[in-house]
Amino acid sequence: MITRPMIAAVLAATAAVASAAAGPLQVTSSILVESRTAAADGTTRIALVKPSKVTPGDKVIFVLSYRNTGAQPLANVVLDNPLPRQIAYRSANPGSPAPDVSVDGKTFGSLATLRVRSLDGSTRAAGPNDVTSVRWRLASPLAAGSQGQFAFQAVLK
């Protein structure tokens, strides 16, 4: 089980890094879990909430929010989120574009294109548990005052 202080440590370890962006780019990272509650009409409502505890096997959602606080557009914005060893990547969160992923921190692409080298020197197709970092590259300059967010799902190992 991971408690709130441990969650804070994991969050600190996964702080988003803005690279190749010049200017006042504010990036925040948060970890959320799904909370399911029964509604009066018999349906189930799902909300994303800050976790008070997380146990191995629990799904967590990482949200990277970004904002240009400057007066000029920011070009070539890349948001990179390294994953701690306790976290296994699963997929982009619904409504968020798929990130490029890396299994070595150097080469990024879709998971289907990546390979992992085994101890005996052979290679195999990379899987979600091999992902060490996720990254999004903004396709166009981020206008002054603009903001957005990306999210991905992961599991606590």
Side-chain angles (χ1 to χ4, degrees):
M1 175 175 61
I2 292 185
T3 60
R4 189 172 294 267
M6 294 168 119
I7 293 167
V10 169
L11 182 57
T14 61
V17 176
S19 61
L25 180 65
Q26 289 184 347
V27 180
T28 58
S29 182
S30 57
I31 300 174
L32 304 170
V33 296
E34 289 182 349
S35 172
R36 297 175 183 266
T37 56
D41 62 4
T43 61
T44 300
R45 292 211 172 117
I46 299 173
L48 296 179
V49 299
K50 291 184 179 183
S52 58
K53 68 177 182 172
V54 181
T55 57
D58 284 354
K59 180 171 74 170
V60 292
I61 293 97
F62 286 76
V63 179
L64 282 77
S65 300
Y66 58 91
R67 181 176 172 197
N68 178 356
T69 61
Q72 300 296 320
L74 299 175
N76 303 316
V77 175
V78 177
L79 301 173
D80 185 14
N81 198 129
L83 299 181
R85 289 184 204 153
Q86 311 94 308
I87 299 296
Y89 174 80
R90 289 298 174 250
S91 66
N93 205 48
S96 188
D100 286 331
V101 297
S102 179
V103 296
D104 62 8
K106 299 173 188 169
T107 304
F108 286 82
S110 69
L111 188 57
T113 65
L114 299 177
R115 310 265 319 154
V116 175
R117 184 168 305 280
S118 300
L119 293 176
D120 66 2
S122 63
T123 62
R124 64 172 173 78
N129 290 344
D130 298 313
V131 173
T132 60
S133 189
V134 298
R135 165 174 95 178
W136 289 270
R137 186 179 304 273
L138 297 185
S140 58
L142 182 61
S146 292
Q147 60 188 5
Q149 69 179 27
F150 297 116
F152 66 93
Q153 297 176 6
V155 172
L156 182 66
K157 293 179 183 176

